[in-house]
Amino acid sequence: MDPMSWSECQDALRKLVQHPGSHRLEGEGAMRPALLLPGGANAYDVLRNHRALVFQLDDRVPLDLFSELRPVTSVFVQLQLTAGISTVDIRTIIHDASRMMLEILCPHKGEINKIVLFDKGCMFLLVFGLGGEKLRYESIHALQSAIQIFNSCSTMLMEIEAVSVAVTSGTAFCGVTGHPLRHEYTVIGQKVNLAARMMVHYPGLVSCDAVTYASSRLPPYYFKELPERKMKGLSHPGTVYQYVGITKKSIFGMGLAKKRSEYAPLLGQEKEIDLFGSCLKAYEDLGQRHILAFEGTMGSGKSHLLTELAYLGQAAGHRVVAMELLEVNVRQSFSAIRMLMARALGLQDSEPCSARQCTLQTKLRGTIEESSFCLLNDIFLVEFPVSDKVRDMRGIERKKELHSTWAKVLEKTIGGEFGIFVIDNAHFIDPASWSIMSPVLRNVSYFMVMSLAPGYARTEGFCKAAADNTMSQKITYLHLDELKPSAVVQEVCQNLKVDSISRDLARFLIQRSSGIPYYCKELLGCLLCNNMLLFRTRRRGEKAEDNWESLIIEASPLTATSSSSAGNDGTVCIIRPDVNPENTVLPATLKEIALAQLDGIKPLKQTILKFAAVIGPVFTTQLLSHILPDGIRHKMNCLLDMLVSDNILKWLKTTEVAEDVRDPTKGPGSSRQAESGVERPSPSKKTTERQSGVLVFCVPLLREAAYELWPERQRVALHRKCAAFLERHAHKCKSCSQGDFVAFHRFTVTSTQEGGSSQGPAEQGDPHSWEALVLAGEQLKRDRTHTPEGRFLAKSEQTAELPSKTDRKHSGTCSCECKAIVESVLVPLARHYMAMGDAARAFYYLLESAAAYLHVSNSYMALMKLNEAEVLRNSLEKKANVIACFEEATFFSLKGEVCWHMGHMKLAKKMLREALSLLGRQFPRTSIGAFVKSQVEKLPCASYVARRVSSLPQEARRKRLARLLRQSCCLSLLEHLFSLEGTSSGRTFSRLAARMKANTDRAADSYRAADSCHR
C-alpha cells in the first residue's frame, strides 16, 4: 500500500473518531480505546491507502502469518527533555517530532513503530525493511533519515536538551505479539536491543553498528570510529561508528571504487571491451560526441568493467576523468555536476579554500566573467567576493544566471581536450544536475562511458534516447549479460587461486548466482567464512588412502579450467565431505537484494511463495494445497497463475525435455525447449487440470529468502506437514513391487511407524499425486545432473555403474519411476526431518535414499547420501539409542555396496564384515575361522527355525525377516568379492559366504511363508 502523508493520517483519524460507532470495548475486557470501521459504503475507500491504520487490508492475510524473521534496520531516537517541562509542552513536542519524522521516513519507506515516554525523555523506535517495505540500499536510507531527523529535531524543536540517534542492522522477529486483546506489531531481537543501548551510551550524535557501516558501502569519510563502551547485556557489541553525513570530501566525490582486476581482460566481458575500443577509435577519428552506456543489474560487474575501460583509455594516451555516484547523491541537488567539474578541474586534492580559488581562476578565466565567479562559492566551497552585478539580482534572474554560469563551466570542463569521462552509477545523477548537464551534452564534443541500473528514471531516459533514430548514432546502449557457466568457473578458480574446482561446487555457484559476478563472490565468501571448502594438491598417479574419507574426496568430479588441470594435476578445491552446501544460510547482502524483489510482490502472493519455499525448488500443487491454510487454499490456482505470469514460477509438463543451466535467471527451461517443455498459464485452463501440476522456482535466491522468513516454530510445523504428505509415497514404484528400498525397513524402526511410514502400499497416496511427484523428481534430477558445461550426468555418475536393477528385471517392458521418486520424495523427506530436528527419521530416509540410488545404479549419489548419514551419525555419537542397531548395520552394508561399485574391494569387505557383525552374523577373518564356521553352517536347523517362526507375532517376524534379507545381501556381495581374488584363500571365503547365504535364504523363506499364512 502507498505511504500516506501526515495530513492524510490526521484526516483519516478524525473521520474515524467522529464516527458515531466508535466506542470503548470495556464490556469485552479490552484495555485500550478501539476505533471501529465506519459503516458507510465508502469506508473501504477511505482506509485502503492508509497502511499505518490498516495492515494489508486489500489481501486479508491471516494474522498468524504476519510474523517473520526478517533483516531490518532499527533506528532509536531519544529526545532528552528539559527539566520541569509541562505536560502540554510534552504533547506538542511529541506531535511535532512525529510529524517531522513521518515526512522524512515516508520517501525511505520507514515506519514509526513505538513512541515511549520514560524518565530520560521521549524515545522513538523507527524501523526500515518491514514486510512489503524492503528497499535496496536500506542502510543508506536509514542513515540518511537518521541524520535528517537528528538535524531537524536539534534545530526545530524547543525544550530539547539533546538528541541521540542509534542505527543497527540485523535479523529480528517482526510480527504480532501480546495478548489477543492487546496485540501489537513490533520488532524484537538482539540488534534492536543494541540500538537501544547505543542510543543511551553515545548521546548527542548519530551512531551506527559495524553491520550498518559495512552494508551501506559508503566511503569511510562518511563515518568516524567511536570509542568502545560497556553496554548492559552485551558482551561484544562490536565497533561503533558515528555517521557524520556529508563532509567537504564527500562533496567533491571520489573516483572509481573498484580496483582493476589482476586477471585481465575481464572474464565474460570481451564483447564490451571490444565495443569500447571501436567507439573510442571512431571518436578519435571523427571527433563526434558519443555516450557508451552499459546497463546491468546490481552485481553484474558494471563497476569492474568501467575500471578496466578507464585503464584502457589511459593506456591509449587519453586523460580519463572517472567518478562514482552513490545512492545518497540522487537526493543532493547539484551533487553530480559538482563532482564531475571538481574532478575534471583537479579540485578534489585542493583542500585549502585559497588553492581552490586559484585553480578556478586559472582554468576558467575567459570562460565566465569575473563578476560571476562568486556564483561558484556554494558549489565549490570557495569565497569569491560577491560582485555588485550578482548582489542586485533577485529570484528568477539570479537562478538563471547561476545555471548559465554552471553550464559554461561544464561546457569548458567536458570539452574534447579533457578526454574520456567515466561515470559509474549514472542512474544516481540528481535532477538538478541533469537539468544543466542535458542541454550542454547536446552541444559539445566528448566521449563518455557510464553504467546504469534498471528501474531508475535516468536509465529509462538513456534507453529511449538510444532507441531514437536521431540519437542512435550518438548513444550506444548495451545490456550486460550474465556470465556463462564456463566464465563463472574460471572466475571462481581465479579468486581461489586453484587450477580446478569440484563440479558440485561449480553447480552450486552457477545455479545460485544466476551468472551474476557479485552473487557468485558473496556465495563463495560465505563458503570460505564458514570453512566449507577443502583445498588439496592432486598429482598424476598419486594413490589415495583406502578409507571412506579418501573415497569421498576421490569421487568428487572436477571441472577443469585449463588443459593442464584436466589431468588432475595442480591445486583443486572441493566442498568438504561433511558439508552440504544446500543448507547454507543466504548471505545478508544477497538476502537484502532478494527480499527487495520479494517485497515488490503483493502480500498474498508472497504468502504462497513462502509456503512453496518450504517444499523446495520444485513442488507439486497437491503438496502445496496440503500445507496451505484453509483461508488461502481456494485462491491457490489463481495466485500461482499470477506468479507464473510474473516469471517467478514456471509450470512444467510431462513432455519437458532437459534444459541447460546456461540461463538460470529465466528458469529451468531454455528458449529452444520452452516450446515443448513449459506450460504457460491460460485463462481457459480448468481447475481440475491444475490439481496435479508441478512448478519450479525461476530464481533460487528468491526461494531461499522466502524460506528464511519463517519463524522456527512455524517452519517446523510446515516441514512436519510436508513429511506426512510425502511419507505416503515413500516406496518403490509399481513395477518394482512398491516395497521399501531397504527391504522391510519400516518394520524395524519404531519411530517411523508413528510418522505414517508404516502404511502399506494399498493405503498410500493417490495416483495423481504420484504422477506429479514423478514429474517433479525428473525435473530435480535434471537440475542435479547438469554439469557446468551443460551436459547430462557428471562423469562420476556415468562410470563404475552396473546396469540398473530395474532395467535388468523388466528389460524395458515396464517404466520404472524409482529414479524420480528418490529425488522428489526420499531426499526431501530427509531434509524435512533434518529441519524438524528429528535425527532418527532423517537417518532413516538418508538410508532409504542411498538404497534407492543403488537400486537405480547411481553409486555416486548413494555415496553422497551415505556421507550425509555419516555426518549425522557422528553428530549423534554422544546420544544413546537414537539410531537402531539394524540401521547401523544397514548403513555399513550400503557403504560396502558403494565401495564395491567404486572399485575399493578391500574397503568393501571391511564394511560388509562390520554390517554382519551388527546383524549378529560374524564372518571370520582367518582360514581357521572359515573352516570352523563352515562346519557350523552344515548343521541342520531348518526344523527349529520353522517351529520358532510359527510362534512369533507378525511384527517380530517382519523385523527378523528384514535382518535376514540384509544378511543375505551382505553375504552375496562377500561371495562375489572373494571370488574375484582368484586365490585359494579367496575361494574358501567365497564358498563359506555362499553356504551362509543359502542357509540365510532358507530361513528367510520360512519367515515369508509364515507371514503369508497369517495375512
Side-chain angles (χ1 to χ4, degrees):
M1 288 183 280
D2 298 330
M4 61 178 176
S5 66
W6 176 254
S7 59
E8 290 175 324
C9 178
Q10 287 182 317
D11 181 61
L13 283 172
R14 191 181 303 110
K15 289 181 180 180
L16 285 172
V17 173
Q18 292 174 354
H19 191 269
S22 300
H23 64 283
R24 211 178 268 270
L25 296 178
E26 296 176 350
E28 300 180 15
M31 301 301 295
R32 295 178 180 175
L35 299 175
L36 296 186
L37 189 66
N42 63 340
Y44 181 76
D45 296 330
V46 170
L47 293 178
R48 60 174 297 165
N49 293 323
H50 298 341
R51 77 182 231 292
L53 294 177
V54 182
F55 186 76
Q56 304 195 24
L57 179 64
D58 287 338
D59 289 304
R60 307 289 182 183
V61 176
L63 186 66
D64 56 349
L65 299 181
F66 281 6
S67 300
E68 295 177 331
L69 288 178
R70 171 177 285 267
V72 296
T73 302
S74 307
V75 181
F76 270 91
V77 181
Q78 179 183 359
L79 305 180
Q80 186 175 346
L81 306 176
T82 57
I85 186 172
S86 66
T87 305
V88 175
D89 290 337
I90 293 176
R91 184 185 63 185
T92 303
I93 288 174
I94 294 176
H95 176 273
D96 294 342
S98 301
R99 177 181 54 78
M100 285 191 298
M101 290 180 190
L102 282 174
E103 291 176 352
I104 293 172
L105 293 173
C106 280
H108 302 278
K109 291 195 173 183
E111 299 181 13
I112 299 178
N113 184 259
K114 279 186 179 65
I115 303 176
V116 180
L117 278 172
F118 62 116
D119 59 338
K120 297 178 182 178
C122 179
M123 183 271 292
F124 293 79
L125 171 57
L126 320 177
V127 186
F128 294 80
L130 291 176
E133 303 296 323
K134 195 76 172 179
L135 291 177
R136 291 185 181 180
Y137 311 103
E138 179 179 284
S139 296
I140 297 180
H141 287 284
L143 290 171
Q144 279 186 279
S145 301
I147 198 71
Q148 289 178 18
I149 290 171
F150 177 83
N151 293 332
S152 298
C153 292
S154 299
T155 57
M156 299 177 64
L157 294 181
M158 306 299 293
E159 307 293 339
I160 296 293
E161 290 187 355
V163 179
S164 305
V165 184
V167 185
T168 59
S169 302
T171 301
F173 171 83
C174 307
V176 177
T177 62
H179 190 275
L181 296 178
R182 297 174 62 87
H183 272 157
E184 66 171 336
Y185 186 83
T186 188
V187 292
I188 303 172
Q190 184 179 3
K191 285 293 185 176
V192 182
N193 296 339
L194 175 60
R197 301 299 183 196
M198 288 167 50
M199 173 190 68
V200 175
H201 288 83
Y202 296 95
L205 49 82
V206 178
S207 59
C208 70
D209 66 337
V211 176
T212 307
Y213 168 82
S215 58
S216 70
R217 300 181 197 169
L218 291 172
Y221 49 75
Y222 277 82
F223 301 89
K224 183 189 299 182
E225 186 172 338
L226 295 173
E228 183 178 351
R229 293 177 183 172
K230 292 184 179 181
M231 303 183 195
K232 181 180 178 182
L234 300 169
S235 56
H236 301 287
T239 307
V240 179
Y241 298 87
Q242 179 186 358
Y243 179 67
V244 297
I246 301 173
T247 62
K248 183 183 294 185
K249 191 169 184 180
S250 63
I251 286 176
F252 292 114
M254 61 179 182
L256 299 180
K258 301 296 182 183
K259 295 182 179 180
R260 182 173 181 261
S261 173
E262 57 182 308
Y263 305 101
L266 291 178
L267 292 172
Q269 295 182 331
E270 294 81 3
K271 178 178 67 174
E272 291 79 5
I273 294 175
D274 292 341
L275 177 62
F276 170 79
S278 59
C279 291
L280 181 59
K281 188 175 187 306
Y283 170 69
E284 293 172 341
D285 296 340
L286 303 177
Q288 295 181 349
R289 66 179 184 274
H290 196 88
I291 296 178
L292 181 56
F294 297 101
E295 180 198 336
T297 58
M298 179 181 178
S300 58
K302 305 185 296 294
S303 298
H304 283 289
L305 175 62
L306 262 62
T307 301
E308 179 69 18
L309 298 183
Y311 171 82
L312 295 176
Q314 288 177 336
H318 296 277
R319 183 191 176 193
V320 176
V321 177
M323 70 176 195
E324 179 185 12
L325 294 175
L326 304 172
E327 205 276 341
V328 295
N329 298 126
V330 77
R331 292 183 175 86
Q332 299 172 4
S333 297
F334 305 110
S335 60
I337 192 173
R338 177 196 293 120
M339 291 182 188
L340 181 61
M341 292 190 297
R343 295 194 66 80
L345 294 170
L347 298 181
Q348 67 272 20
D349 297 325
S350 304
E351 289 293 335
C353 175
S354 58
R356 288 196 298 274
Q357 289 184 192
C358 181
T359 302
L360 290 172
Q361 288 176 325
T362 302
K363 295 188 176 182
L364 298 180
R365 183 172 287 114
T367 302
I368 61 176
E369 300 176 2
E370 289 292 334
S371 60
S372 298
F373 271 97
C374 59
L375 295 173
L376 304 178
N377 287 348
D378 292 335
I379 192 170
F380 292 128
L381 299 182
V382 289
E383 298 176 357
F384 288 109
V386 179
S387 63
D388 295 336
K389 177 182 176 182
V390 173
R391 187 181 292 109
D392 294 337
M393 294 180 181
R394 294 291 182 271
I396 298 177
E397 182 185 3
R398 183 164 184 167
K399 185 177 180 180
K400 287 182 178 180
E401 182 66 21
L402 184 68
H403 281 223
S404 175
T405 301
W406 287 356
K408 292 176 182 178
V409 175
L410 181 63
E411 186 173 350
K412 170 69 175 179
T413 300
I414 64 174
E417 61 177 295
F418 288 99
I420 305 170
F421 291 84
V422 180
I423 304 178
D424 192 12
N425 296 329
H427 49 278
F428 289 143
I429 296 177
D430 59 282
S433 295
W434 187 247
S435 65
I436 299 175
M437 293 174 63
S438 181
V440 174
L441 293 179
R442 297 192 186 101
N443 301 319
V444 297
S445 176
Y446 59 91
F447 184 70
M448 185 175 290
V449 184
M450 60 176 61
S451 68
L452 300 161
Y456 292 89
R458 197 72 59 229
T459 303
E460 295 175 2
F462 277 105
C463 186
K464 291 178 181 178
D468 188 355
N469 292 331
T470 61
M471 297 291 293
S472 59
Q473 299 298 322
K474 301 170 184 176
I475 299 178
T476 302
Y477 196 90
L478 187 66
H479 179 78
L480 294 181
D481 296 326
E482 295 80 9
L483 293 180
K484 295 180 179 179
S486 57
V488 172
V489 173
Q490 287 181 323
E491 182 174 332
V492 172
C493 290
Q494 288 180 357
N495 292 336
L496 296 176
K497 301 186 186 307
V498 297
D499 297 295
S500 56
I501 60 175
S502 66
R503 297 197 181 200
D504 289 338
L505 175 58
R507 187 181 298 113
F508 170 79
L509 294 173
I510 290 169
Q511 292 179 345
R512 299 297 178 89
S513 69
S514 302
I516 298 177
Y518 177 72
Y519 292 8
C520 182
K521 178 183 176 183
E522 289 296 308
L523 289 167
L524 189 61
C526 180
L527 295 176
L528 287 170
C529 290
N530 292 289
N531 196 26
M532 302 174 75
L533 300 181
L534 182 65
F535 297 87
R536 62 194 187 91
T537 302
R538 278 192 174 185
R539 295 181 177 85
R540 196 187 304 272
E542 181 182 14
K543 188 175 181 180
E545 297 181 14
D546 193 17
N547 56 42
W548 182 252
E549 291 75 17
S550 299
L551 174 62
I552 296 171
I553 295 174
E554 181 185 344
S556 301
L558 298 180
T559 299
T561 59
S562 62
S563 58
S564 62
S565 60
N568 291 343
D569 290 338
T571 306
V572 299
C573 177
I574 65 173
I575 299 174
R576 293 181 66 89
D578 58 344
V579 165
N580 183 0
E582 302 298 328
N583 298 332
T584 56
V585 178
L586 200 63
T589 50
L590 300 188
K591 190 173 183 178
E592 180 179 331
I593 295 172
L595 283 181
Q597 298 175 0
L598 189 65
D599 281 352
I601 306 171
K602 289 188 176 180
L604 263 184
K605 291 196 285 184
Q606 282 188 45
T607 304
I608 289 289
L609 286 178
K610 286 169 61 179
F611 278 95
V614 177
I615 302 173
V618 180
F619 61 93
T620 67
T621 52
Q622 294 96 328
L623 180 50
L624 180 60
S625 177
H626 177 74
I627 66 175
L628 281 176
D630 295 337
I632 302 179
R633 189 177 295 125
H634 67 283
K635 303 177 182 178
M636 181 187 73
N637 290 333
C638 177
L639 292 170
L640 289 176
D641 283 340
M642 293 183 345
L643 288 168
V644 171
S645 64
D646 294 337
N647 293 321
I648 297 171
L649 299 177
K650 182 178 292 187
W651 286 102
L652 300 180
K653 286 172 59 178
T654 54
T655 56
E656 180 162 356
V657 296
E659 63 286 300
D660 193 350
V661 297
R662 289 181 180 272
D663 194 9
T665 59
K666 296 182 180 179
S670 64
S671 57
R672 176 177 61 83
Q673 297 144 350
E675 297 178 1
S676 61
V678 177
E679 181 180 359
R680 290 292 179 184
S682 172
S684 62
K685 285 280 182 183
K686 295 181 180 179
T687 303
T688 55
E689 295 180 25
R690 290 290 168 82
Q691 294 306 310
S692 58
V694 180
L695 296 102
V696 60
F697 278 86
C698 296
V699 184
L701 291 184
L702 201 62
R703 183 194 72 83
E704 293 183 42
Y707 174 77
E708 292 179 12
L709 290 175
W710 285 108
E712 185 178 0
R713 185 188 303 175
Q714 292 177 305
R715 186 186 304 171
V716 169
L718 290 174
H719 280 294
R720 184 175 290 109
K721 285 186 177 182
C722 292
F725 180 92
L726 292 175
E727 280 190 323
R728 293 178 293 179
H729 306 278
H731 55 82
K732 296 179 182 177
C733 63
K734 287 184 178 179
S735 61
C736 298
S737 74
Q738 291 188 304
D740 294 332
F741 288 96
V742 176
F744 290 90
H745 192 182
R746 73 188 68 190
F747 302 106
T748 65
V749 183
T750 305
S751 62
T752 55
Q753 294 177 357
E754 299 170 2
S757 62
S758 59
Q759 295 174 338
E763 304 173 38
Q764 293 165 1
D766 63 275
H768 294 294
S769 297
W770 178 270
E771 292 171 3
L773 287 169
V774 170
L775 175 58
E778 291 170 352
Q779 176 65 31
L780 288 166
K781 184 175 184 296
R782 283 193 289 268
D783 290 343
R784 176 179 54 77
T785 55
H786 268 91
T787 65
E789 291 79 16
R791 297 190 297 269
F792 271 104
L793 293 178
K795 182 178 179 181
S796 60
E797 294 191 37
Q798 292 177 318
T799 58
E801 301 291 349
L802 298 176
S804 171
K805 297 176 184 178
T806 55
D807 292 341
R808 296 197 303 267
K809 178 179 178 180
H810 303 291
S811 301
T813 58
C814 297
S815 176
C816 176
E817 297 169 335
C818 295
K819 291 182 180 180
I821 289 302
V822 64
E823 303 285 352
S824 62
V825 177
L826 298 180
V827 172
L829 271 170
R831 178 177 60 85
H832 288 309
Y833 278 120
M834 284 290 289
M836 292 163 55
D838 193 334
R841 296 191 190 185
F843 192 80
Y844 175 95
Y845 282 109
L846 284 173
L847 294 182
E848 281 288 301
S849 300
Y853 279 123
L854 288 172
H855 178 74
V856 298
S857 296
N858 190 339
S859 58
Y860 173 74
M861 285 307 300
L863 173 68
M864 294 297 102
K865 292 303 159 186
L866 287 173
N867 179 54
E868 290 183 37
E870 173 91 3
V871 175
L872 178 60
R873 176 175 170 270
N874 292 338
S875 67
L876 298 173
E877 284 183 349
K878 296 181 180 180
K879 299 180 181 180
N881 301 324
V882 175
I883 299 175
C885 181
F886 175 80
E887 294 207 305
E888 285 273 359
T890 302
F891 173 64
F892 284 102
S893 170
L894 294 174
K895 287 173 76 172
E897 191 170 350
V898 168
C899 292
W900 169 48
H901 283 307
M902 294 291 187
H904 289 250
M905 305 305 179
K906 184 178 179 180
L907 187 59
K909 294 174 189 175
K910 177 182 177 182
M911 296 295 175
L912 292 170
R913 278 194 171 102
E914 181 68 24
L916 286 171
S917 175
L918 290 168
L919 290 169
R921 198 77 185 276
Q922 298 288 343
F923 192 84
R925 300 178 181 274
T926 63
S927 298
I928 297 176
F931 173 77
V932 173
K933 187 66 175 177
S934 63
Q935 299 304 313
V936 173
E937 291 294 325
K938 292 178 182 179
L939 297 176
C941 61
S943 58
Y944 167 74
V945 170
R947 289 194 303 271
R948 183 185 176 190
V949 168
S950 60
S951 64
L952 292 175
Q954 184 184 44
E955 183 179 348
R957 282 198 306 271
R958 290 184 174 179
K959 285 185 178 182
R960 181 59 184 166
L961 179 57
R963 296 174 70 89
L964 291 172
L965 293 176
R966 184 50 43 187
Q967 289 176 16
S968 178
C969 178
C970 294
L971 292 169
S972 176
L973 288 173
L974 284 174
E975 178 189 0
H976 178 74
L977 289 170
F978 281 111
S979 67
L980 296 177
E981 290 185 2
T983 62
S984 174
S985 175
R987 286 190 293 271
T988 300
F989 282 108
S990 179
R991 286 193 296 269
L992 173 61
R995 186 179 297 276
M996 293 175 68
K997 180 181 182 301
N999 291 337
T1000 303
D1001 290 343
R1002 280 193 293 271
D1005 290 340
S1006 300
Y1007 279 91
R1008 282 198 188 96
D1011 190 56
S1012 60
C1013 292
H1014 287 80
R1015 285 184 181 177

